Amino acid sequence: MAGKKQFSTFVVDRLLFGVEVEKVQEVIRYQEMTRVPLAPSVVKGLINLRGQIVTAVDLRRRLGLRERAATDLPMNVVMRHEDGAVSLLVDEIGDVLEVEEDAFELPPGTLAGEARELIRGVYKLKGTLLIALDTDKMLNLEATAARVA
Amino acid sequence: MGDMDDIVRDFLVESNENLDQLDRDLVTLEKDPTAREVLSSIFRTIHTIKGTTGFLGFPRLESVAHVGENLLSQLRDGRLVLNAEITSGLLAMVDAVRKILSNIESTGQEGEGDYTSLIETLTGLQGGDKKASAPVATAPPSDLSPAPPVTGELSREPEKADPGLPLGEILVQAGWAKSEDVNEALKLQHQGDDRRLGEILVEKGATKPAAVQDALQVQAEARAPALSDSNIRVGVSLLDKLMNLVGELVLARNQILQFSSTQRDTSFLNTSQRLNLITTELQEGVMKTRMQPIGNIWSKFPRVVRDLATSCGKQVNIEMEGRETELDKTIIESIKDPLTHLVRNAVDHGIEIPEKRRASGKSPQGHLFLRAFHEGGQVNIEISDDGAGIDLERVKQKSLEKGLVAPDQASRLSDRELLNLLFLPGFSTAEKVTNVSGRGVGLDVVKTNIEKIGGTVDIQNRVGQGTTLKIKIPLTLAIIPALIVTSSGDRYAIPQVSLLELVRLQGEQARNGIEKIHGAAVYRLRGKLLPLVNLNHELRVEETGLERPMAENNAVNIVVLQADDRHFGLIVDEINDTEEIVVKPLGKQLKGVPTFAGATIMGDGQVALILDVLGLAQLANVVSQVRDRVVGEKAAATESRHDDRESLLLLGGPDDARMAMPLSLVARLEEFTRTAVEKAGGRHVVQYRGQILPLIHLSSAVTERPQESRSSGPPAPGVADEKIQVVVYTDQGRSVGLVVDRILDIAHEAVKIQKHSGRHGTLGTMVVQGRVTELLDLKGIIQTADPSFFNEAVAA
């Protein structure tokens, strides 16, 4: 058992990403959002999750990927976070996958940019790579906010 | 170990509460050293702490409490009389106990503090009386069974005695009486002596009256239904969670109510109505659980005042009124420091030393008066002293020295303006820098902190007679009234506390009303320049200047706001409505955005951001102007708030008469189409916010025959789609609308009624803006039109 881990997976810009399943609170379809002017650009808006106000972070922007087409509605992966929930906006929701710890490798040195800090490593799966995200770093926008401002 | 932790935690909570009580009691006792009940209560508190610490194994704490208890027992038995020295000793003991308790709370250990000198001092204070200077060792042998193994120390602990025991046994166990005496007294009672046991013993001299009283109290406490049965301790986090859930329920309720207005199913409508009522009650109930009496923070003040007065060589007596006045817990916490600061200020700067007081014909003892009361949905707190008041000349000099005002300006400042200088950062009038105050962090911090929670501070100065600080704060922060505006298609909530008025410029005014000074837009509001800030522009949601809204919809909406004593106009696309909103915090990711104070969920389930008016003003550079402008503006602001001036709503009445009413009586101004007016019970009404709003026509109300106002129709025949202007007055949830011909303006004038006009429904005439204006008697008009309005409002 020790060598296995469960990941909640999702697709962003045709890449398969995963976060530890226990950090995910729930997955919901697209929600109306209220934009937050002057906020860091990665904050796409605020959503009302059963009376709780949840910040939605656009994963494409966070990872420095291409902008999503305006007609594509993102899905929400709501993460448990130290001060309330935060939602990650993704393109598609994948399955919960069980991966072997043996299949893990650190990100290649050639991976550049902000994404490097946010990617914990890669799991080699059959026919595809699962990119494991560092959720804590991903939701800590303070460093990023400073850069944007 | 878990159980043990619980016990220790309970002990800490209980002891801390007891210690607060103790501070109060000791100060009371100093004034009246003979107050026996107080002394007994102090004794019991320390005694309980000592007993429990012995049991829990905190030797250091136990030894401190022990000497304190010995000293107290001598006081109680009348062997010593309380003096300032002993009080200080006892207070030091309380501090030591508190320190050890806080160590235990944070580390689980007593800490390394050395209390031997304190113990020596306390032992020394027991002084002359050799018998009691050592722990009482003379425990009488007990004949009565069940005799516990009485050690020297236990012998003075009434609580260790089983409270269920008869009085005699309690006395014996506590070592206050010998068992032979008790037995003898009991025998006497058997033989028909109908005196009480205590009386017999006291008369025989076998025990002291005080001891009997204590023993009786022990007994009474045991017999009374335990208070703990009707009270439980609940964690604040649980209450916060409940509060949040109720907030959500309120929102869900609002959504259902919105939905139910489109439904016709009666059982659904009834259910949603019921849901509505229950939710409201639940909300009120949960809000109440978070309310705490202000006495919780005041209880520390007698001690603070005493210590401070002693160190300044002053005599100060503190009086409190309305300590049961309740406030939301979060507010209580945030006003604690400002209030303490003001109290210290009053003692340090306000009240003079006894010689000076005598010289000016006052009693040597200064008087500090704290008062709290509810008024108009707000809590008022007043702190007054009967000291020297504020020397305005010195304030002037000081502010010149510190460069807060220019010399030519200083000579022009009014008294009120001078007082407001005290609130500027970097101001302190203390002659010498004491360790108490005068370090330059003064009233400005107090003011900032109070304003942060939506409150206001005001000083009233009576030179030579004292100073009063008046603070007004809202009851709660969780649910606030707010104005909802739209900008670039998004809704924003503006807290009502920062809102001054709304201005709408149309047509010609919209094109020419806004002028520019070197690119900065301003508007002349009643002759004063109001800087304008465009919300779209500040939020960078739309890169347009002021031109676009003007060109497109030919009207400009200005929300006049107040930030840090500066007024500014915020241009928004649309002004929607006022609403009670539930404030929710923003996530950590958005903490760096200064323009938003939080978010809320609107009736339709969408999220709306709450504007932080001060943050917005800073972003737009409204509030970081040169200091002298702040002073000037401030002066203007306070001038209009000056006591005898009032904001008046000017109306066009019948026969082109100008009429006015105090703006404070106006809940809202509304516009209805004439077709919206319906008739019910011979009266004109309109449907308004889900209620039926009865209308009173001003023109008929001010004519000679008021009784007709009930049935007379809209007086001037008008086109069906013509708008009528209605002034809404609300009292205790009931509203009434006053139909007026025109709404003219708002003016700030001193209300000086010059003559009685004799016209019905008016109080008289006065001059407003240079023109004769009749002052309406709004309440009188309502009373005449609907005699039951005020009664029912009270009953509702």
Side-chain angles (χ1 to χ4, degrees):
Chain A
M1 264 318 275
K4 288 192 175 177
K5 242 183 179 178
Q6 285 197 318
F7 274 85
S8 184
T9 66
F10 41 83
V11 177
V12 184
D13 198 18
R14 279 176 290 173
L15 296 170
L16 183 67
F17 289 92
V19 290
E20 290 89 340
V21 78
E22 63 272 11
K23 292 193 176 159
V24 176
Q25 179 182 318
E26 61 192 297
V27 172
I28 47 172
R29 62 182 166 74
Y30 175 73
Q31 300 281 308
E32 285 272 342
M33 266 178 285
T34 302
R35 62 176 164 168
V36 186
L38 307 181
S41 66
V42 296
V43 175
K44 191 85 185 199
L46 300 174
I47 58 173
N48 169 12
L49 180 71
R50 296 185 300 277
Q52 193 186 357
I53 290 175
V54 174
T55 313
V57 173
D58 188 335
L59 212 47
R60 282 193 178 228
R61 287 190 187 163
R62 186 76 182 107
L63 295 169
L65 301 169
R66 285 178 299 157
E67 283 286 303
R68 186 179 292 110
T71 46
D72 292 346
L73 296 181
M75 303 282 277
N76 291 280
V77 178
V78 182
M79 311 279 298
R80 287 193 187 94
H81 193 52
E82 52 200 86
D83 69 342
V86 179
S87 168
L88 297 178
L89 298 179
V90 303
D91 297 358
E92 262 173 69
I93 304 292
D95 293 328
V96 173
L97 297 180
E98 199 170 63
V99 295
E100 304 274 345
E101 240 355 283
D102 299 344
F104 182 78
E105 244 179 74
L106 288 172
T110 47
L111 186 70
E114 173 131 54
R116 184 175 172 80
E117 292 165 34
L118 307 176
I119 293 173
R120 204 162 54 76
V122 180
Y123 287 92
K124 295 162 286 180
L125 306 184
K126 214 178 273 173
T128 182
L129 293 174
L130 173 66
I131 306 168
L133 292 170
D134 185 325
T135 46
D136 289 335
K137 276 194 190 146
M138 201 163 44
L139 300 179
N140 177 12
L141 297 184
E142 266 136 44
T144 330
R147 218 167 295 158
V148 170
Chain B
M1 199 56 207
D3 285 351
M4 190 60 187
D5 285 346
D6 280 346
I7 295 172
V8 173
R9 206 172 304 124
D10 282 349
F11 163 66
L12 288 172
V13 172
E14 204 173 294
S15 301
N16 278 324
E17 278 171 14
N18 286 341
L19 287 175
D20 289 345
Q21 176 68 35
L22 209 59
D23 271 344
R24 257 193 322 264
D25 285 351
L26 279 171
V27 177
T28 320
L29 196 65
E30 194 180 21
K31 280 182 214 130
D32 178 14
T34 55
R36 282 210 40 85
E37 330 71 71
V38 182
L39 197 45
S40 306
S41 140
I42 297 173
F43 179 80
R44 268 195 305 279
T45 306
I46 287 296
H47 178 80
T48 311
I49 291 175
K50 192 194 94 178
T52 323
T53 48
F55 165 66
L56 292 174
F58 294 117
R60 227 177 270 264
L61 183 52
E62 192 188 0
S63 63
V64 172
H66 179 72
V67 280
E69 188 194 358
N70 280 340
L71 184 57
L72 283 166
S73 75
Q74 294 200 16
L75 289 167
R76 192 192 48 180
D77 297 349
R79 274 176 285 178
L80 277 177
V81 176
L82 192 76
N83 56 29
E85 206 186 339
I86 295 183
T87 311
S88 298
L90 288 172
L91 287 174
M93 185 255 319
V94 173
D95 286 344
V97 170
R98 195 175 271 140
K99 194 166 159 220
I100 300 175
L101 285 176
S102 79
N103 275 336
I104 295 175
E105 193 171 357
S106 52
T107 65
Q109 301 297 319
E110 287 181 282
E112 293 305 309
D114 182 17
Y115 302 102
T116 43
S117 70
L118 173 68
I119 292 174
E120 270 167 30
T121 318
L122 288 174
T123 317
L125 284 168
Q126 296 173 32
D129 198 333
K130 289 278 171 342
K131 274 182 288 177
S133 59
V136 179
T138 49
S142 172
D143 285 348
L144 292 176
S145 58
V150 183
T151 68
E153 212 179 288
L154 276 172
S155 66
R156 298 206 68 81
E157 299 187 6
E159 273 95 335
K160 278 276 156 70
D162 181 350
L165 292 177
L167 183 68
E169 276 182 52
I170 295 176
L171 285 169
V172 172
Q173 281 190 18
W176 287 327
K178 294 204 180 74
S179 58
E180 304 95 272
D181 293 333
V182 174
N183 279 339
E184 215 169 292
L186 285 170
K187 218 177 277 170
L188 276 174
Q189 268 186 331
H190 269 294
Q191 287 161 3
D193 190 334
D194 55 1
R195 289 176 302 171
R196 284 153 173 257
L197 182 68
E199 283 176 53
I200 302 177
L201 287 170
V202 171
E203 273 171 40
K204 269 185 65 183
T207 189
K208 292 198 169 55
V212 175
Q213 252 173 33
D214 275 355
L216 281 171
Q217 196 137 11
V218 170
Q219 232 180 0
E221 274 168 17
R223 280 176 195 163
L227 199 60
S228 58
D229 286 350
S230 56
N231 281 292
I232 53 165
R233 286 182 200 283
V234 179
V236 174
S237 60
L238 178 60
L239 292 183
D240 285 346
K241 196 171 169 201
L242 276 179
M243 185 68 212
N244 270 334
L245 288 172
V246 167
E248 281 166 39
L249 184 62
V250 168
L251 295 168
R253 187 261 326 254
N254 291 352
Q255 275 163 274
I256 286 195
L257 286 184
Q258 221 167 47
F259 175 64
S260 74
S261 61
T262 64
Q263 298 295 305
R264 285 176 181 278
D265 184 337
T266 38
S267 68
F268 173 71
L269 289 179
N270 285 341
T271 317
S272 57
Q273 196 53 40
R274 234 174 95 71
L275 176 71
N276 183 14
L277 290 176
I278 294 171
T279 310
T280 311
E281 256 179 62
L282 185 63
Q283 186 187 347
E284 280 167 12
V286 171
M287 297 280 275
K288 265 192 205 136
T289 63
R290 291 164 48 96
M291 296 301 238
Q292 286 191 319
I294 196 165
N296 285 7
I297 39 178
W298 281 8
S299 60
K300 301 224 174 359
F301 290 163
R303 169 81 194 270
V304 169
V305 167
R306 181 201 176 269
D307 287 359
L308 189 55
T310 316
S311 73
C312 316
K314 295 175 183 177
Q315 295 172 16
V316 183
N317 164 35
I318 182 166
E319 193 186 330
M320 301 175 182
E321 189 184 298
R323 47 161 82 235
E324 66 290 335
T325 310
E326 287 188 321
L327 278 164
D328 191 278
K329 193 182 169 315
T330 46
I331 295 191
I332 288 263
E333 271 158 23
S334 46
I335 58 168
K336 191 163 131 196
D337 290 342
L339 280 188
T340 312
H341 192 101
L342 292 178
V343 165
R344 296 175 77 102
N345 250 357
V347 176
D348 195 30
H349 302 313
I351 289 168
E352 318 91 317
I353 52 171
E355 298 83 71
K356 234 187 193 167
R357 291 184 63 89
R358 258 191 224 106
S360 50
K362 298 184 200 173
S363 84
Q365 195 181 46
H367 190 74
L368 188 65
F369 183 56
L370 301 183
R371 194 158 90 100
F373 56 96
H374 286 276
E375 191 183 76
Q378 287 193 309
V379 175
N380 295 28
I381 303 169
E382 293 176 8
I383 300 171
S384 2
D385 63 64
D386 65 346
I390 296 162
D391 183 349
L392 292 173
E393 266 314 303
R394 250 184 50 214
V395 171
K396 199 184 281 181
Q397 275 173 21
K398 204 84 176 183
S399 45
L400 281 173
E401 273 169 38
K402 305 224 168 190
L404 297 174
V405 286
D408 60 320
Q409 226 180 357
S411 54
R412 289 201 309 269
L413 289 175
S414 71
D415 287 2
R416 183 133 284 274
E417 288 164 0
L418 281 170
L419 281 180
N420 278 311
L421 290 176
L422 293 175
F423 290 117
L424 289 182
F427 195 97
S428 176
T429 53
E431 299 260 273
K432 54 181 179 195
V433 173
T434 63
N435 65 338
V436 184
S437 39
R439 280 166 300 187
V441 274
L443 287 172
D444 64 309
V445 179
V446 171
K447 189 175 156 91
T448 319
N449 284 339
I450 300 273
E451 282 177 353
K452 227 181 258 168
I453 53 166
T456 56
V457 196
D458 190 32
I459 303 190
Q460 285 182 354
N461 186 34
R462 301 173 306 278
V463 176
Q465 289 172 44
T467 317
T468 301
L469 272 132
K470 291 191 173 183
I471 299 172
K472 282 189 182 194
I473 34 182
L475 281 177
T476 178
L477 295 178
I479 297 179
I480 58 165
L483 178 77
I484 311 297
V485 301
T486 306
S487 211
S488 293
D490 290 322
R491 277 172 300 179
Y492 298 94
I494 301 174
Q496 200 109 43
V497 285
S498 330
L499 182 67
L500 294 172
E501 61 183 296
L502 302 176
V503 177
R504 186 176 163 88
L505 304 182
Q506 274 171 310
E508 186 66 18
Q509 268 191 310
R511 276 188 295 278
N512 303 328
I514 295 173
E515 295 162 83
K516 290 207 170 175
I517 310 169
H518 205 75
V522 292
Y523 170 68
R524 295 188 202 200
L525 182 66
R526 287 185 291 279
K528 273 200 168 320
L529 290 185
L530 182 75
L532 293 180
V533 174
N534 190 316
L535 186 59
N536 286 338
H537 184 70
E538 287 312 323
L539 297 182
R540 295 186 204 125
V541 283
E542 209 176 42
E543 293 301 327
T544 52
L546 295 168
E547 292 77 19
R548 222 205 56 145
M550 272 188 278
E552 274 194 1
N553 37 7
N554 218 11
V556 179
N557 292 303
I558 302 173
V559 182
V560 184
L561 298 171
Q562 176 168 13
D564 209 10
D565 276 333
R566 296 273 305 185
H567 295 185
F568 70 101
L570 186 67
I571 300 181
V572 299
D573 292 352
E574 225 178 290
I575 290 167
N576 303 21
D577 204 351
T578 57
E579 246 176 71
E580 298 263 300
I581 57 166
V582 181
V583 180
K584 305 210 166 219
L586 290 174
K588 205 173 80 183
Q589 292 80 11
L590 297 171
K591 279 287 183 297
V593 187
T595 41
F596 304 115
T600 188
I601 295 172
M602 307 299 296
D604 59 4
Q606 280 283 301
V607 178
L609 289 158
I610 303 169
L611 288 180
D612 183 329
V613 173
L614 190 59
L616 185 67
Q618 278 162 350
L619 185 75
N621 291 323
V622 174
V623 285
S624 58
Q625 307 274 337
V626 261
R627 174 103 52 199
D628 57 359
R629 287 211 50 193
V630 176
V631 173
E633 186 78 14
K634 200 176 251 194
T638 42
E639 205 53 44
S640 63
R641 259 191 271 137
H642 205 276
D643 288 354
D644 55 344
R645 285 167 70 107
E646 212 174 329
S647 294
L648 297 169
L649 180 70
L650 298 180
L651 312 164
D655 323 323
D656 279 337
R658 274 168 69 92
M659 297 190 153
M661 69 171 97
L663 194 59
S664 54
L665 293 178
V666 179
R668 286 175 69 86
L669 299 178
E670 289 287 347
E671 210 174 47
F672 299 104
T673 54
R674 228 166 251 283
T675 47
V677 179
E678 296 170 72
K679 265 199 165 185
R683 273 207 255 171
H684 288 205
V685 297
V686 286
Q687 290 179 24
Y688 174 61
R689 297 179 156 208
Q691 284 188 327
I692 292 173
L693 181 75
L695 295 179
I696 301 170
H697 293 278
L698 178 64
S699 47
S700 42
V702 295
T703 51
E704 298 308 318
R705 295 183 305 281
Q707 61 275 23
E708 278 188 14
S709 66
R710 272 170 165 265
S711 49
S712 69
V719 197
D721 63 348
E722 198 188 322
K723 303 267 192 198
I724 57 168
Q725 306 289 333
V726 176
V727 178
V728 181
Y729 170 83
T730 302
D731 188 43
Q732 317 223 1
R734 282 180 30 111
S735 300
V736 65
L738 186 69
V739 182
V740 301
D741 292 2
R742 265 172 310 140
I743 287 164
L744 300 174
D745 201 356
I746 289 167
H748 301 276
E749 294 273 342
V751 176
K752 282 193 199 111
I753 296 177
Q754 303 207 331
K755 89 179 210 318
H756 284 269
S757 65
R759 202 206 278 249
H760 184 86
T762 62
L763 294 167
T765 51
M766 56 183 280
V767 176
V768 180
Q769 292 178 340
R771 293 184 59 182
V772 175
T773 306
E774 287 173 83
L775 189 65
L776 285 177
D777 177 12
L778 186 59
K779 288 192 180 171
I781 292 173
I782 296 168
Q783 186 89 51
T784 317
D786 182 358
S788 61
F789 180 81
F790 288 102
N791 303 343
E792 282 176 34
V794 170

